């Protein structure tokens, strides 16, 4: 059981696959952003690093 006085260690995760193919960081369903920011919205977690290619359309 974890000691409640210990601070949790920072965890590193990677994006396994991304279906947002119009993002400029998406190459063949792989994220090449280096790092991303995850936001929580009323729709749940979403990528805050999403950047549409070629235009400024809002996030789908
Ligand atoms: S930045 Fe976000 S939306 Fe874009 S490819 Fe990476 S995980 Fe997907």
């Amino acid at each position: 059981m974890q000691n409640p006085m210990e601070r949790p260690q920072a965890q590193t995760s990677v994006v396994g696959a991304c279906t947002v193919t119009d993002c400029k960081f998406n190459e063949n369903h792989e994220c090449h952003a280096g790092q991303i920011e995850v936001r929580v919205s009323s729709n749940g977690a979403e990528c805050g690093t999403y950047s549409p290619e070629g235009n400024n359309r809002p996030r789908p």
Side-chain angles (χ1 to χ4, degrees), residues 26-53:
N26 194 318
E27 294 179 26
N28 299 318
H29 295 92
E30 292 182 0
C31 179
H32 291 267
Q35 66 181 33
I36 66 167
E37 175 185 336
V38 177
R39 295 185 196 151
V40 178
S41 74
S42 58
N43 295 323
E46 65 181 31
C47 180
T49 308
Y50 166 74
S51 182
E53 281 185 301

Side-chain angles (χ1 to χ4, degrees), residues 2 6-13:
Q2 187 175 11
E6 290 181 15
R7 296 184 63 169
Q9 297 291 314
Q11 300 288 318
T12 301
S13 299

